[in-house]
Amino acid sequence: MNTTHLPPRVRLIDVGPRDGLQNEKQPVPAAVKIELVHRLQAAGLREIEVTSYVSPKWVPQMADNHEVMAGITRQSGVRYSVLTPNLKGFEAALADRPDEIVVFGAASEAFSQKNINCSIAESIERFAPVVEAARKAGIAVRGAMSCTVGCPYEGDIAPERVGMLAQLMKDIGVQRVDVADTIGVGTPLKVQRAIEATLAHYDIDHISGHFHDTYGQALANTLAALQMGVWNFQSSVAGLGGCPYAKGATGNVATEDVVYLLHGLGIDTGIDLEALVDTGAWISAQLGRPSASRVGRALLAKRVH
């Protein structure tokens, strides 16, 4: 394989503390979430999605957002991001001094209605004042574009829909976007088409890949994105997470698995894989289940032998 055109360095955003833990049925103590962030940054992660500012009625797992943000010992050079679905959420987050806020929209009308009870256009209208307030406060803004290749209600999503959403995000001042395969149905060609549509509105430095592993395609999709020059990706330690609005969707691709792939390609991540595997094993033990990371399980088994 020719690796000369792959990016020499990749930046990973670990979304485990937020996207990974938000759907846990049992409450995860704030102290565990804080420790998870500390372990991730100690392993070399330089971007971590920590929590969200949503109604505890809808996402009770994130009700401790202030406590978690206040409890983190921040490291220089680490970017801490939070999800803010509306102006009320942003105003609550402001006191906790996030480095970046995340707003989200879907490339599927049906998913938008099911997920946030409004159309795509209405969601953008809702986010516009949030983005404006964040930019005025000197806080960076990332836009999560969900269902960019497939939707549990609409099926395949046309690249044109992705391009439309990217343009809407750009128009309200979102600085960078995630091309997300929220339900994990994407294949390399579909993912590349979604990225191509996004490239009409954002340059390659401001696009990231966010892949779920429902059909076992997340690493293949990561490689397909790398071949296009994408060098920002989201992943979740131990493969934590899922989507409550997409039946059968498994977690985000495991950070350990992505790092193993990248290091095997000679790509620098700045991440200590062994420390990351330990972190994945630790949080999985806290949740009372095995890690979803195949690399993590394999490396731990190798240590035992």
Side-chain angles (χ1 to χ4, degrees):
M1 176 185 174
N2 185 356
T3 60
T4 55
H5 299 300
L6 297 179
R9 182 174 178 80
V10 158
R11 178 171 56 196
L12 293 180
I13 303 172
D14 198 292
V15 300
R18 199 283 301 173
D19 195 14
L21 295 180
Q22 70 175 3
N23 297 319
E24 290 294 317
K25 300 290 186 288
Q26 300 301 317
V28 179
V32 170
K33 296 173 183 173
I34 292 165
E35 177 69 14
L36 177 58
V37 172
H38 288 164
R39 285 173 178 254
L40 288 171
Q41 62 190 22
L45 269 299
R46 288 296 168 262
E47 291 207 38
I48 302 170
E49 195 171 286
V50 179
T51 188
S52 65
Y53 293 78
V54 294
S55 169
K57 176 184 172 185
W58 297 111
V59 188
Q61 193 64 258
M62 298 287 113
D64 56 4
N65 43 37
H66 292 299
E67 184 181 354
V68 172
M69 287 294 283
I72 292 168
T73 301
R74 299 195 183 200
Q75 270 189 11
S76 175
V78 177
R79 174 179 281 195
Y80 304 92
S81 58
V82 301
L83 191 78
T84 56
N86 49 41
L87 203 50
K88 183 179 179 182
F90 170 74
E91 287 165 354
L94 200 54
D96 294 329
R97 301 178 297 107
D99 299 307
E100 181 178 62
I101 63 152
V102 183
V103 296
F104 53 91
S108 154
E109 282 290 352
F111 191 85
S112 185
Q113 292 286 356
K114 291 275 188 179
N115 193 15
I116 51 177
N117 302 311
C118 66
S119 69
I120 296 170
E122 287 169 339
S123 73
I124 294 297
E125 285 177 21
R126 185 184 298 173
F127 294 135
V130 179
V131 176
E132 183 182 8
R135 296 288 299 270
K136 280 183 179 175
I139 298 170
V141 181
R142 192 172 91 239
M145 303 197 304
S146 58
C147 294
T148 60
V149 292
C151 168
Y153 313 108
E154 293 183 19
D156 286 350
I157 298 296
E160 294 77 28
R161 304 290 298 173
V162 181
M164 181 201 76
L165 178 58
Q167 181 173 8
L168 291 171
M169 291 270 188
K170 189 77 169 180
D171 288 346
I172 63 169
V174 172
Q175 293 163 292
R176 59 176 182 159
V177 289
D178 313 332
V179 178
D181 179 15
T182 310
I183 59 171
V185 296
T187 52
L189 188 57
K190 289 179 180 178
V191 163
Q192 288 182 332
R193 286 174 176 163
I195 292 169
E196 281 173 4
T198 307
L199 279 167
H201 307 283
Y202 286 89
D203 64 45
I204 202 73
D205 293 340
H206 296 96
I207 294 173
S208 59
H210 179 120
F211 307 125
H212 286 234
D213 208 29
T214 312
Y215 285 79
Q217 300 295 296
L219 291 178
N221 292 339
T222 299
L223 182 57
L226 285 166
Q227 289 169 333
M228 296 182 72
V230 175
W231 60 279
N232 291 282
F233 293 91
Q234 276 119 45
S235 57
S236 179
V237 64
L240 300 175
C243 179
Y245 301 96
K247 190 175 181 182
T250 55
N252 301 282
V253 64
T255 307
E256 300 95 310
D257 296 359
V258 176
V259 170
Y260 184 82
L261 169 70
L262 295 172
H263 288 182
L265 291 168
I267 296 173
D268 179 29
T269 64
I271 294 170
D272 180 335
L273 180 56
E274 294 292 341
L276 184 63
V277 166
D278 288 341
T279 300
W282 174 81
I283 188 61
S284 298
Q286 298 297 314
L287 301 175
R289 60 170 183 265
S291 168
S293 165
R294 283 168 288 194
V295 166
R297 294 197 306 269
L299 290 180
L300 287 171
K302 192 175 177 182
R303 286 184 198 171
V304 172
H305 297 296

PDB file of all heavy atoms in Angstrom, residues 21 63 75 103 115 123 141 143 157 159 189 196 198 202 206 208 240 243 249 256 272 294:
ATOM      1  N   LEU A  21     -20.651   8.013  27.284  1.00  0.00           N
ATOM      2  CA  LEU A  21     -21.318   7.719  28.562  1.00  0.00           C
ATOM      3  C   LEU A  21     -22.765   8.197  28.631  1.00  0.00           C
ATOM      4  O   LEU A  21     -23.494   7.791  29.537  1.00  0.00           O
ATOM      5  CB  LEU A  21     -20.532   8.350  29.720  1.00  0.00           C
ATOM      6  CG  LEU A  21     -19.127   7.797  29.975  1.00  0.00           C
ATOM      7  CD1 LEU A  21     -18.486   8.524  31.145  1.00  0.00           C
ATOM      8  CD2 LEU A  21     -19.154   6.289  30.236  1.00  0.00           C
ATOM      9  N   ALA A  63     -26.326  15.339  33.888  1.00  0.00           N
ATOM     10  CA  ALA A  63     -26.803  16.350  34.842  1.00  0.00           C
ATOM     11  C   ALA A  63     -25.686  16.914  35.717  1.00  0.00           C
ATOM     12  O   ALA A  63     -25.833  17.974  36.325  1.00  0.00           O
ATOM     13  CB  ALA A  63     -27.897  15.751  35.731  1.00  0.00           C
ATOM     14  N   GLN A  75      -4.959  20.568  31.433  1.00  0.00           N
ATOM     15  CA  GLN A  75      -3.586  20.542  30.945  1.00  0.00           C
ATOM     16  C   GLN A  75      -3.423  21.546  29.821  1.00  0.00           C
ATOM     17  O   GLN A  75      -4.299  21.683  28.966  1.00  0.00           O
ATOM     18  CB  GLN A  75      -3.235  19.148  30.393  1.00  0.00           C
ATOM     19  CG  GLN A  75      -2.655  18.207  31.402  1.00  0.00           C
ATOM     20  CD  GLN A  75      -2.131  16.943  30.726  1.00  0.00           C
ATOM     21  OE1 GLN A  75      -2.022  16.861  29.514  1.00  0.00           O
ATOM     22  NE2 GLN A  75      -1.814  15.951  31.527  1.00  0.00           N
ATOM     23  N   VAL A 103     -22.398  22.072  18.290  1.00  0.00           N
ATOM     24  CA  VAL A 103     -23.811  22.069  17.922  1.00  0.00           C
ATOM     25  C   VAL A 103     -24.003  20.916  16.936  1.00  0.00           C
ATOM     26  O   VAL A 103     -23.036  20.430  16.351  1.00  0.00           O
ATOM     27  CB  VAL A 103     -24.250  23.411  17.311  1.00  0.00           C
ATOM     28  CG1 VAL A 103     -24.121  24.539  18.338  1.00  0.00           C
ATOM     29  CG2 VAL A 103     -23.439  23.748  16.055  1.00  0.00           C
ATOM     30  N   ASN A 115     -34.847  13.131  16.681  1.00  0.00           N
ATOM     31  CA  ASN A 115     -33.762  13.400  17.625  1.00  0.00           C
ATOM     32  C   ASN A 115     -33.994  14.684  18.413  1.00  0.00           C
ATOM     33  O   ASN A 115     -33.864  14.712  19.632  1.00  0.00           O
ATOM     34  CB  ASN A 115     -32.440  13.470  16.860  1.00  0.00           C
ATOM     35  CG  ASN A 115     -31.238  13.431  17.771  1.00  0.00           C
ATOM     36  OD1 ASN A 115     -31.328  13.077  18.936  1.00  0.00           O
ATOM     37  ND2 ASN A 115     -30.098  13.812  17.246  1.00  0.00           N
ATOM     38  N   SER A 123     -33.469  23.568  13.136  1.00  0.00           N
ATOM     39  CA  SER A 123     -32.331  23.308  14.023  1.00  0.00           C
ATOM     40  C   SER A 123     -31.220  24.328  13.784  1.00  0.00           C
ATOM     41  O   SER A 123     -30.589  24.808  14.736  1.00  0.00           O
ATOM     42  CB  SER A 123     -31.808  21.882  13.830  1.00  0.00           C
ATOM     43  OG  SER A 123     -31.105  21.735  12.606  1.00  0.00           O
ATOM     44  N   VAL A 141     -16.221  26.797  17.700  1.00  0.00           N
ATOM     45  CA  VAL A 141     -17.490  26.101  17.430  1.00  0.00           C
ATOM     46  C   VAL A 141     -17.275  24.972  16.426  1.00  0.00           C
ATOM     47  O   VAL A 141     -16.730  25.182  15.348  1.00  0.00           O
ATOM     48  CB  VAL A 141     -18.557  27.065  16.880  1.00  0.00           C
ATOM     49  CG1 VAL A 141     -19.865  26.307  16.641  1.00  0.00           C
ATOM     50  CG2 VAL A 141     -18.789  28.234  17.826  1.00  0.00           C
ATOM     51  N   GLY A 143     -19.371  21.749  14.447  1.00  0.00           N
ATOM     52  CA  GLY A 143     -20.699  21.273  14.089  1.00  0.00           C
ATOM     53  C   GLY A 143     -20.681  19.778  13.820  1.00  0.00           C
ATOM     54  O   GLY A 143     -19.941  19.310  12.950  1.00  0.00           O
ATOM     55  N   ILE A 157     -28.490   8.266   2.544  1.00  0.00           N
ATOM     56  CA  ILE A 157     -28.562   9.732   2.478  1.00  0.00           C
ATOM     57  C   ILE A 157     -27.723  10.209   1.292  1.00  0.00           C
ATOM     58  O   ILE A 157     -26.549   9.857   1.165  1.00  0.00           O
ATOM     59  CB  ILE A 157     -28.043  10.361   3.785  1.00  0.00           C
ATOM     60  CG1 ILE A 157     -28.917   9.933   4.966  1.00  0.00           C
ATOM     61  CG2 ILE A 157     -27.967  11.883   3.670  1.00  0.00           C
ATOM     62  CD1 ILE A 157     -30.358  10.405   4.903  1.00  0.00           C
ATOM     63  N   PRO A 159     -25.382  12.471  -0.997  1.00  0.00           N
ATOM     64  CA  PRO A 159     -24.322  13.438  -0.679  1.00  0.00           C
ATOM     65  C   PRO A 159     -24.794  14.891  -0.753  1.00  0.00           C
ATOM     66  O   PRO A 159     -24.303  15.738  -0.008  1.00  0.00           O
ATOM     67  CB  PRO A 159     -23.257  13.144  -1.744  1.00  0.00           C
ATOM     68  CG  PRO A 159     -23.489  11.723  -2.130  1.00  0.00           C
ATOM     69  CD  PRO A 159     -24.959  11.515  -2.037  1.00  0.00           C
ATOM     70  N   LEU A 189     -16.742   4.008   0.085  1.00  0.00           N
ATOM     71  CA  LEU A 189     -17.148   4.876  -1.024  1.00  0.00           C
ATOM     72  C   LEU A 189     -18.216   5.875  -0.593  1.00  0.00           C
ATOM     73  O   LEU A 189     -18.159   7.059  -0.953  1.00  0.00           O
ATOM     74  CB  LEU A 189     -17.657   4.028  -2.196  1.00  0.00           C
ATOM     75  CG  LEU A 189     -17.934   4.789  -3.498  1.00  0.00           C
ATOM     76  CD1 LEU A 189     -16.685   5.523  -3.978  1.00  0.00           C
ATOM     77  CD2 LEU A 189     -18.438   3.823  -4.575  1.00  0.00           C
ATOM     78  N   GLU A 196     -16.568  14.431   0.208  1.00  0.00           N
ATOM     79  CA  GLU A 196     -16.472  15.266  -0.993  1.00  0.00           C
ATOM     80  C   GLU A 196     -17.522  16.370  -0.985  1.00  0.00           C
ATOM     81  O   GLU A 196     -17.240  17.522  -1.332  1.00  0.00           O
ATOM     82  CB  GLU A 196     -16.644  14.401  -2.253  1.00  0.00           C
ATOM     83  CG  GLU A 196     -15.408  13.627  -2.661  1.00  0.00           C
ATOM     84  CD  GLU A 196     -15.680  12.669  -3.805  1.00  0.00           C
ATOM     85  OE1 GLU A 196     -16.825  12.660  -4.327  1.00  0.00           O
ATOM     86  OE2 GLU A 196     -14.767  11.912  -4.174  1.00  0.00           O
ATOM     87  N   THR A 198     -18.866  17.700   1.596  1.00  0.00           N
ATOM     88  CA  THR A 198     -18.509  18.647   2.653  1.00  0.00           C
ATOM     89  C   THR A 198     -17.366  19.554   2.212  1.00  0.00           C
ATOM     90  O   THR A 198     -17.312  20.731   2.578  1.00  0.00           O
ATOM     91  CB  THR A 198     -18.128  17.879   3.935  1.00  0.00           C
ATOM     92  OG1 THR A 198     -19.178  16.968   4.268  1.00  0.00           O
ATOM     93  CG2 THR A 198     -17.908  18.827   5.104  1.00  0.00           C
ATOM     94  N   TYR A 202     -16.046  23.325   3.349  1.00  0.00           N
ATOM     95  CA  TYR A 202     -14.983  23.372   4.362  1.00  0.00           C
ATOM     96  C   TYR A 202     -13.715  22.776   3.772  1.00  0.00           C
ATOM     97  O   TYR A 202     -13.779  21.798   3.011  1.00  0.00           O
ATOM     98  CB  TYR A 202     -15.375  22.571   5.611  1.00  0.00           C
ATOM     99  CG  TYR A 202     -16.417  23.236   6.468  1.00  0.00           C
ATOM    100  CD1 TYR A 202     -17.774  23.021   6.242  1.00  0.00           C
ATOM    101  CD2 TYR A 202     -16.049  24.091   7.511  1.00  0.00           C
ATOM    102  CE1 TYR A 202     -18.738  23.629   7.022  1.00  0.00           C
ATOM    103  CE2 TYR A 202     -17.010  24.705   8.302  1.00  0.00           C
ATOM    104  CZ  TYR A 202     -18.350  24.477   8.050  1.00  0.00           C
ATOM    105  OH  TYR A 202     -19.298  25.088   8.829  1.00  0.00           O
ATOM    106  N   HIS A 206     -10.571  21.337   8.306  1.00  0.00           N
ATOM    107  CA  HIS A 206     -11.707  21.632   9.180  1.00  0.00           C
ATOM    108  C   HIS A 206     -12.833  20.613   9.036  1.00  0.00           C
ATOM    109  O   HIS A 206     -14.001  20.896   9.313  1.00  0.00           O
ATOM    110  CB  HIS A 206     -12.209  23.056   8.914  1.00  0.00           C
ATOM    111  CG  HIS A 206     -11.189  24.099   9.255  1.00  0.00           C
ATOM    112  ND1 HIS A 206     -10.343  24.640   8.318  1.00  0.00           N
ATOM    113  CD2 HIS A 206     -10.837  24.630  10.451  1.00  0.00           C
ATOM    114  CE1 HIS A 206      -9.520  25.497   8.913  1.00  0.00           C
ATOM    115  NE2 HIS A 206      -9.798  25.506  10.209  1.00  0.00           N
ATOM    116  N   SER A 208     -13.710  16.501  10.071  1.00  0.00           N
ATOM    117  CA  SER A 208     -13.285  15.313  10.812  1.00  0.00           C
ATOM    118  C   SER A 208     -14.227  14.151  10.521  1.00  0.00           C
ATOM    119  O   SER A 208     -15.395  14.347  10.156  1.00  0.00           O
ATOM    120  CB  SER A 208     -13.222  15.587  12.318  1.00  0.00           C
ATOM    121  OG  SER A 208     -14.478  16.005  12.798  1.00  0.00           O
ATOM    122  N   LEU A 240     -17.022   3.030  23.670  1.00  0.00           N
ATOM    123  CA  LEU A 240     -18.231   3.410  24.400  1.00  0.00           C
ATOM    124  C   LEU A 240     -19.203   4.151  23.493  1.00  0.00           C
ATOM    125  O   LEU A 240     -18.803   4.877  22.593  1.00  0.00           O
ATOM    126  CB  LEU A 240     -17.876   4.330  25.576  1.00  0.00           C
ATOM    127  CG  LEU A 240     -16.942   3.789  26.653  1.00  0.00           C
ATOM    128  CD1 LEU A 240     -16.638   4.901  27.654  1.00  0.00           C
ATOM    129  CD2 LEU A 240     -17.566   2.593  27.358  1.00  0.00           C
ATOM    130  N   CYS A 243     -26.364   5.114  19.774  1.00  0.00           N
ATOM    131  CA  CYS A 243     -27.312   6.172  19.429  1.00  0.00           C
ATOM    132  C   CYS A 243     -28.695   5.753  19.894  1.00  0.00           C
ATOM    133  O   CYS A 243     -29.226   4.746  19.420  1.00  0.00           O
ATOM    134  CB  CYS A 243     -27.316   6.424  17.919  1.00  0.00           C
ATOM    135  SG  CYS A 243     -28.495   7.704  17.446  1.00  0.00           S
ATOM    136  N   ALA A 249     -27.626   0.365  16.628  1.00  0.00           N
ATOM    137  CA  ALA A 249     -26.363   1.061  16.371  1.00  0.00           C
ATOM    138  C   ALA A 249     -25.415   0.841  17.543  1.00  0.00           C
ATOM    139  O   ALA A 249     -25.772   1.088  18.689  1.00  0.00           O
ATOM    140  CB  ALA A 249     -26.608   2.553  16.162  1.00  0.00           C
ATOM    141  N   GLU A 256      -8.631   3.008  20.844  1.00  0.00           N
ATOM    142  CA  GLU A 256      -7.499   2.085  20.807  1.00  0.00           C
ATOM    143  C   GLU A 256      -7.324   1.473  19.420  1.00  0.00           C
ATOM    144  O   GLU A 256      -6.200   1.329  18.921  1.00  0.00           O
ATOM    145  CB  GLU A 256      -7.703   0.946  21.829  1.00  0.00           C
ATOM    146  CG  GLU A 256      -7.836   1.406  23.268  1.00  0.00           C
ATOM    147  CD  GLU A 256      -9.288   1.564  23.689  1.00  0.00           C
ATOM    148  OE1 GLU A 256     -10.055   2.240  22.947  1.00  0.00           O
ATOM    149  OE2 GLU A 256      -9.651   1.018  24.743  1.00  0.00           O
ATOM    150  N   ASP A 272      -0.007   7.408  23.656  1.00  0.00           N
ATOM    151  CA  ASP A 272       0.629   6.205  24.191  1.00  0.00           C
ATOM    152  C   ASP A 272      -0.418   5.093  24.172  1.00  0.00           C
ATOM    153  O   ASP A 272      -1.359   5.095  24.978  1.00  0.00           O
ATOM    154  CB  ASP A 272       1.101   6.484  25.625  1.00  0.00           C
ATOM    155  CG  ASP A 272       1.782   5.282  26.284  1.00  0.00           C
ATOM    156  OD1 ASP A 272       1.505   4.136  25.882  1.00  0.00           O
ATOM    157  OD2 ASP A 272       2.569   5.505  27.225  1.00  0.00           O
ATOM    158  N   ARG A 294     -11.258  -4.243  20.162  1.00  0.00           N
ATOM    159  CA  ARG A 294     -10.595  -5.515  19.861  1.00  0.00           C
ATOM    160  C   ARG A 294      -9.099  -5.414  20.131  1.00  0.00           C
ATOM    161  O   ARG A 294      -8.473  -6.346  20.631  1.00  0.00           O
ATOM    162  CB  ARG A 294     -10.863  -5.912  18.410  1.00  0.00           C
ATOM    163  CG  ARG A 294     -12.266  -6.486  18.223  1.00  0.00           C
ATOM    164  CD  ARG A 294     -12.654  -6.609  16.775  1.00  0.00           C
ATOM    165  NE  ARG A 294     -12.905  -5.297  16.193  1.00  0.00           N
ATOM    166  CZ  ARG A 294     -13.526  -5.102  15.024  1.00  0.00           C
ATOM    167  NH1 ARG A 294     -13.928  -6.144  14.326  1.00  0.00           N
ATOM    168  NH2 ARG A 294     -13.727  -3.896  14.562  1.00  0.00           N
TER     169      ARG A 294
END
